[in-house]
Amino acid sequence: MGHPFNQNGGNWSGYVATGLVAESVSASWIEPTVTCNATNDTFAPWVGIGGYGTTTLAQTGVEISCSSGSPVYRAWYELIPASPVYDDAAVGPGDAIKAEVIRAGTRYTMTVTDRTRNWTRTVTKSYAGSSTSAEFILESPTGTYPNFGTVTFTGATVNGRQLSRYRPVALDASNASGGFDDHTGPLSGGTFSVSYRRGAADQT
């Protein structure tokens, strides 16, 4: 017996908390070992403020791209509509990552820490963003996911409190053929997992 799928998140899977004023979001995860299905496969675990029902979004995490034929891991941040900004710090499968966005008015500080390789990248920018949602997401910008197995977010907090306190909405990413590419599991405190499904039909 399978699991019924969650709300269709388009190219997003994970959890979104709304009905709040987000001042900080933080979560940790282990970078997965990825198998590329095609060169347009791309995905990124990230945390963010804004962007759900709004046009602004401050986000940071680690992108995994298959464009070269094998997975390339890069830390990045993005202040939509500006382009993503990538970092050249080494990151790879098995690395313990922590990502954080802190907002103080229109000043946003985005931090990615690789606890395995012992580096931190912090950027502070002025940005007129929305603060009405907080995200903990796996996203495929191209809409096609590589096989990432399972990614587990831990220590997911909004404004320093466990994500579950905000009753967030669970999202599953869909694909062009009407199936789902991954499935977001139940939330316990600040912990949840997203599992790769590649085009599974809705299961009940």
Side-chain angles (χ1 to χ4, degrees), residues 34 36-42 63-74:
V34 163
C36 296
N37 300 312
T39 54
N40 62 335
D41 289 351
T42 306
E63 180 196 87
I64 303 170
S65 170
C66 290
S67 60
S68 66
S70 54
V72 174
Y73 295 69
R74 294 189 294 177

Side-chain angles (χ1 to χ4, degrees), residues 88-157:
D88 58 4
V91 57
D95 288 10
I97 301 296
K98 181 178 182 181
E100 193 169 46
V101 179
I102 298 173
R103 179 186 68 85
T106 56
R107 288 179 68 77
Y108 284 75
T109 300
M110 290 140 301
T111 302
V112 175
T113 299
D114 187 322
R115 291 165 161 163
T116 304
R117 301 180 194 240
N118 202 26
W119 57 255
T120 297
R121 294 292 187 272
T122 300
V123 177
T124 300
K125 296 284 183 183
S126 180
Y127 179 60
S130 61
S131 58
T132 53
S133 63
E135 288 85 27
F136 302 83
I137 296 293
L138 286 187
E139 177 182 3
S140 174
T142 55
T144 62
Y145 284 80
N147 185 344
F148 60 83
T150 298
V151 174
T152 300
F153 285 73
T154 59
T157 61

